[in-house]
Amino acid sequence: MTSVTIKDVAALAGVSLATASRVLSGHPATSSESRARVTAAAEQLDFRPNAQARSLRSAKTHVLGLLVSDVRNPFFADLAHAVEQAALETGYVILLGNANELEDQQNRFLDTLIDQRVDGVIVAPQGDGQGSISSLVNRGIPTVFVDRTVDGVSVPCVTTDSRPGISQAVKHLAEQGHRRIGYIAGPQSISTGRERYAAFVEALKEAGLDQDPALTVFGDFQLESGAAATERLLQLEDPPTAILAADSPMAVGAVAKIRERGLRIGPDVALVAFDNINLFALLSPALSVIDHSVEDMGRIAVDLLLKVIDGEDPASVSLPSGLIIRESSLPPHSVNTQRKN
Amino acid sequence: MTSVTIKDVAALAGVSLATASRVLSGHPATSSESRARVTAAAEQLDFRPNAQARSLRSAKTHVLGLLVSDVRNPFFADLAHAVEQAALETGYVILLGNANELEDQQNRFLDTLIDQRVDGVIVAPQGDGQGSISSLVNRGIPTVFVDRTVDGVSVPCVTTDSRPGISQAVKHLAEQGHRRIGYIAGPQSISTGRERYAAFVEALKEAGLDQDPALTVFGDFQLESGAAATERLLQLEDPPTAILAADSPMAVGAVAKIRERGLRIGPDVALVAFDNINLFALLSPALSVIDHSVEDMGRIAVDLLLKVIDGEDPASVSLPSGLIIRESSLPPHSVNTQRKN
DNA sequence: CTGAAAGCGCTTACAG
DNA sequence: CTGAAAGCGCTTACAG
C-alpha cells in the first residue's frame, strides 16, 4: 500500500515537482511538452492525488456532505437521490450520512464532515442546534437545511409548506362525514413535526371538527411508533373514523396495525399519509397522500448551497404541498366504482 | 472560517505543539497537569483536529466507505442502515455512496474514497472490475464485496445464495398448477442478475416446466424496467400465468403494470418478488417473497472488513434464502380464506 | 514556462 | 514527561 506520489510522477516525467503539480491541477502556465510527459507518467503509474494533502493546501475538497434523517424512509432515499443527481453536474461528490432520527448519530457524522473539511453540507437536522449543528455554523462552513429547520439557526433552507396539504386533507375527510380524525404526529422536537401538528390543529378548527386531545398521538417518524400510535387510537372508547399520519414510515405502521386488527382501510378507518411514496399508490385501497416535490427540494438545496459557497446569501425557499385523493379516504361505494382490482 | 489549529490550543495551554498533540491524540506520555490544560484549552476554543493533516501523517482516517447500488431500492437502504449500526460500535464512521446502478457513478464515488484515503470500503459492485474497483484492490485498500461480486476480483465477500429461494419459488408455483412462469431478470452484467437467472433456469428444468425463452425478459433492477418487462410478458400470445421478479423495484413495477392492465394479482397473474421489503406484506394481496437477511449481511460485511484491515484474510460468507408464501401466489379460494381485508 | 522553497496542520522518532 | 525538528503529499507565490 505504498502510494504513488506526485514525486514519482515528476521523476518519471523528468520535470520538477512544481511542474508536475501544475499540469495535474490544470494550471495554465505549462508547456504542451511537459503536459504530455506528466500526463503520460501519471497514467502509467495510475496516480491519484492525495486529497488530504491537496486540500490541506488549497482548502478545497470538492466534496459536499448530505445528512438525511433516516435512509430507510423512502422520502429521504428519494431526496438523497435527487441531491446526488443535481450535484453530479457540478463536479461535486456527495458524501451521504444517516442520522437514523438520532441526534447523537447526526453529530458523529457532522463532526466527521467537519474533520474532513468538506466544502459544504446539506442537512435535514435533528435537535435544537446545540451540538455539531452550531459547530458547523460557527465555523462558517457553508450549510443549508433541507426539509427541516432549527429555530435560531439562520441558514438558508428549502422546506415544504405543509399547511395547504394538511388543510385540504382535513377538509376532505370532513366532507366525507368524518367528525373524529386521529392524528399520528411527528416528534415536537423537529420542525416538521411541529409545523404539521399546528397545521392539523388549525385545520380541525376551520372545519369545525372534534378537537379531543386523545385523538393525537405522538410518534417518532419511524414505523414502529406509527403502529403503536394506531393501536392506541383504535383502542379509544370513541375511536377515530379517519387517521392522518405525519410521515410515510408511520403510515406504513398504521396500515399494518389496522389490518392486524381485522379492519378495512377506507370503509372502517380512512387513512391519509404525508409523503407521496410510490408504493402507496399500489396498496389496495390505494392511499391518499399529501404530496410535495422531493426532486425540487433536492435540486434547490444544491442550488442554495452552491450560492452560499460562492459567498452569496440566498433566500430560503418554501415548496407547496397538496392532497392527492385515492381510495383510502373515499366511501366504500366510491371505492368500488374506482377500483379496477 | 479561519480554523482553530493545534497551535492555538498549545499557545493557550502554554505547552509545546508536541505536547498538545500528544494529549489530544491520547498518547500516554503526558502529565496530568498538561492533560488538564490542553483539554481545557481545546474545549474553550472548540478545537476540531484537521483530519486531512492528521491522516496525512498517521495514514489512518477512521472512516469507512459503503457503496450501494441504489439507495432508492429498499433492500440497499436497509443494508446501509445495517452496516451503519454495525460500524457504530467500532468507532468508525460510514460514508455512504450511491451508484444508482451506473458504473460511472460508482467510479466517481470510489475515486473520491481513494482520494480521501478511507481505511476500507464495502461495495456492492457494478461492472467488470476494470475501473475504480481494480484501482481499489491494486492499491491494497481493504475492500469487501457485499450482495454482489465481480469475477476475477478476489476480495472477501458476503452474498446470498439465491438458489434455494428461487428453487422453492418455482416449485411452489408449479404446485399451484402454473406451467408458464415469466421471469423478470436482472442485468447479466451483475453477479446477482446472473446467479438468479441461472437458478431460475435450473429450477424450471427440475420442475419440468415450459422453458420458452420468451418468458424471460431482462431488466436493469430498477422500477421502470420491471413495468416494461411485465408489459412485454402480458402481451405475449401465450402469456405467463405467474411472474417472478429478480428484485423488489422491478416487482413494484410489475405490480403497477398488472393493475394498470386491469388484471388481479393472484387470480389472474401470480407474483413472487426477490427481497423481503416490509411494504410487500401490506399489499393486497400480500406479495410472496424470497427472503434473506439484510441485517446479517450488513453485520458480516463490517466484520469481514475489520478483519481485512487487521491484515487477516477472512473467508467469504454465503447466506441462505428461502420462500415466504403469501396470497399473491395462492389460488383465489385460498386467498379468500386467508384474507382479513 | 519552470524550479527551489515555504508552508498547510498535524504526528512522531530523537534527544534530553 | 517534554520540546525542537523533520516530514506526510501536495500547492503556490517568488524569482528567474
Side-chain angles (χ1 to χ4, degrees):
Chain A
M1 178 135 180
T2 68
S3 269
V4 174
T5 75
I6 198 173
K7 231 165 158 177
D8 303 316
V9 175
L12 181 61
V15 300
S16 77
L17 214 160
T19 299
S21 170
R22 288 193 189 95
V23 171
L24 263 11
S25 54
H27 189 101
T30 48
S31 64
S32 64
E33 162 83 22
S34 34
R35 245 174 289 145
R37 306 183 57 159
V38 170
T39 308
E43 183 128 356
Q44 188 181 328
L45 297 172
D46 190 22
F47 170 70
R48 297 273 338 160
N50 182 323
Q52 321 281 1
R54 169 176 280 180
S55 56
L56 191 53
R57 282 298 325 242
S58 64
K60 281 276 153 234
T61 57
H62 298 285
V63 174
L64 303 180
L66 169 64
L67 179 78
V68 299
S69 313
D70 181 5
V71 261
R72 292 185 298 174
N73 179 336
F75 172 75
F76 286 112
D78 289 347
L79 180 64
H81 179 257
V83 164
E84 188 177 63
Q85 292 308 112
L88 213 56
E89 298 148 28
T90 68
Y92 281 96
V93 165
I94 297 288
L95 260 25
L96 179 56
N98 176 24
N100 199 26
E101 300 288 3
L102 297 171
E103 193 168 352
D104 183 56
Q105 278 184 234
Q106 160 184 276
N107 289 349
R108 281 176 58 128
F109 182 71
L110 292 182
D111 285 349
T112 302
L113 293 183
I114 293 173
D115 296 352
Q116 299 288 330
R117 302 297 192 264
V118 296
D119 289 348
V121 1
I122 297 173
V123 19
Q126 317 278 330
D128 57 5
Q130 290 302 296
S132 303
I133 297 276
S134 74
S135 281
L136 216 51
V137 174
N138 291 339
R139 279 162 214 279
I141 297 173
T143 301
V144 160
F145 286 155
V146 69
D147 183 59
R148 307 169 172 186
T149 61
V150 172
D151 281 351
V153 180
S154 73
V155 302
C157 50
V158 46
T159 52
T160 294
D161 179 3
S162 324
R163 286 168 305 182
I166 288 183
S167 160
Q168 289 163 30
V170 169
K171 201 170 155 219
H172 161 67
L173 290 170
E175 283 166 4
Q176 305 300 314
H178 296 285
R179 310 309 298 165
R180 288 177 63 76
I181 302 177
Y183 183 63
I184 306 178
Q188 298 302 293
S189 58
I190 294 174
S191 68
T192 47
R194 288 192 300 274
E195 185 192 286
R196 291 173 197 176
Y197 178 49
F200 175 71
V201 170
E202 183 64 28
L204 281 185
K205 269 187 216 155
E206 277 175 19
L209 297 183
D210 198 335
Q211 298 178 43
D212 182 355
L215 287 174
T216 293
V217 182
F218 294 90
D220 64 3
F221 274 151
Q222 296 193 315
L223 193 146
E224 292 74 13
S225 74
T230 303
E231 174 125 54
R232 269 186 55 188
L233 288 171
L234 296 179
Q235 282 178 343
L236 248 35
E237 202 146 314
D238 187 7
T241 58
I243 293 179
L244 175 56
D247 83 344
S248 74
M250 296 196 301
V252 173
V255 170
K257 181 59 72 177
I258 292 171
R259 297 236 172 113
E260 185 188 313
R261 293 180 64 93
L263 298 171
R264 291 163 305 164
I265 292 172
D268 297 328
V269 190
L271 184 62
V272 177
F274 205 101
D275 286 343
N276 187 10
I277 300 311
N278 61 15
L279 265 168
F280 283 171
L282 300 180
L283 293 175
S284 302
L287 245 52
S288 297
V289 295
I290 296 169
D291 183 42
H292 51 139
S293 171
V294 66
E295 285 76 23
D296 288 351
M297 186 172 272
R299 191 175 33 73
I300 292 170
V302 172
D303 272 6
L304 293 182
L305 184 56
L306 294 182
K307 283 184 179 150
V308 176
I309 290 174
D310 282 349
E312 298 173 43
D313 183 20
S316 292
V317 175
S318 175
L319 299 170
S321 63
L323 180 66
I324 296 178
I325 299 175
R326 300 200 189 105
E327 304 152 6
S328 71
S329 61
L330 289 174
H333 62 275
S334 164
V335 171
N336 287 332
T337 48
Q338 294 208 186
R339 275 179 71 181
K340 288 271 173 21
N341 191 354
Chain B
M1 181 140 175
T2 67
S3 268
V4 174
T5 74
I6 199 172
K7 232 165 156 175
D8 303 316
V9 174
L12 181 60
V15 299
S16 76
L17 216 161
T19 299
S21 169
R22 287 191 189 96
V23 171
L24 263 11
S25 54
H27 190 102
T30 50
S31 64
S32 63
E33 163 83 22
S34 35
R35 245 173 287 146
R37 305 182 57 157
V38 170
T39 310
E43 183 129 353
Q44 189 181 329
L45 297 172
D46 191 22
F47 169 72
R48 298 274 334 160
N50 182 324
Q52 321 279 2
R54 170 176 280 181
S55 55
L56 192 53
R57 282 299 323 246
S58 65
K60 280 277 152 230
T61 57
H62 298 286
V63 174
L64 302 180
L66 169 65
L67 178 80
V68 299
S69 314
D70 181 4
V71 261
R72 292 186 298 174
N73 178 336
F75 172 73
F76 287 112
D78 289 347
L79 180 64
H81 179 258
V83 164
E84 189 178 63
Q85 292 308 114
L88 213 55
E89 299 148 27
T90 68
Y92 280 96
V93 166
I94 297 289
L95 260 26
L96 179 58
N98 177 25
N100 200 26
E101 300 287 3
L102 297 170
E103 193 167 351
D104 183 55
Q105 279 186 232
Q106 159 184 276
N107 289 349
R108 280 178 59 128
F109 181 72
L110 292 182
D111 285 349
T112 301
L113 292 184
I114 293 173
D115 295 352
Q116 299 290 330
R117 303 296 194 263
V118 297
D119 289 348
V121 1
I122 297 173
V123 20
Q126 317 276 331
D128 57 5
Q130 289 302 295
S132 303
I133 297 275
S134 75
S135 282
L136 215 52
V137 174
N138 291 339
R139 279 162 214 279
I141 297 173
T143 300
V144 160
F145 286 156
V146 69
D147 183 58
R148 306 169 172 187
T149 61
V150 172
D151 281 351
V153 180
S154 72
V155 301
C157 52
V158 46
T159 53
T160 293
D161 180 3
S162 324
R163 286 168 303 181
I166 288 183
S167 160
Q168 288 162 29
V170 170
K171 200 170 155 221
H172 160 68
L173 290 170
E175 283 167 4
Q176 306 299 315
H178 297 285
R179 311 307 300 165
R180 287 176 63 76
I181 302 177
Y183 183 63
I184 306 176
Q188 298 301 294
S189 58
I190 294 174
S191 68
T192 46
R194 288 192 299 274
E195 185 192 285
R196 291 174 197 175
Y197 178 49
F200 175 71
V201 170
E202 183 64 29
L204 280 185
K205 269 187 214 153
E206 275 175 20
L209 297 182
D210 198 335
Q211 298 178 43
D212 182 355
L215 287 175
T216 292
V217 182
F218 294 90
D220 65 3
F221 273 151
Q222 295 192 315
L223 193 146
E224 292 74 15
S225 73
T230 303
E231 174 125 53
R232 269 186 55 190
L233 288 171
L234 296 179
Q235 282 177 342
L236 248 35
E237 202 146 316
D238 187 5
T241 58
I243 293 178
L244 175 57
D247 83 345
S248 74
M250 296 196 299
V252 172
V255 169
K257 182 57 74 179
I258 292 171
R259 297 236 173 114
E260 184 188 314
R261 293 180 62 94
L263 298 172
R264 292 163 303 165
I265 291 170
D268 297 329
V269 190
L271 184 63
V272 178
F274 204 100
D275 285 343
N276 186 10
I277 300 310
N278 60 16
L279 265 168
F280 283 172
L282 300 179
L283 294 175
S284 304
L287 247 54
S288 297
V289 296
I290 295 170
D291 182 42
H292 52 138
S293 171
V294 67
E295 285 76 23
D296 287 352
M297 187 173 270
R299 191 173 35 71
I300 292 169
V302 172
D303 272 7
L304 292 183
L305 183 56
L306 294 183
K307 283 184 179 150
V308 176
I309 291 175
D310 282 349
E312 299 173 43
D313 183 21
S316 292
V317 175
S318 175
L319 299 171
S321 65
L323 180 67
I324 296 179
I325 299 174
R326 300 201 188 105
E327 304 151 5
S328 71
S329 61
L330 289 174
H333 61 274
S334 162
V335 171
N336 287 333
T337 48
Q338 294 206 188
R339 275 179 72 181
K340 288 272 172 22
N341 193 354

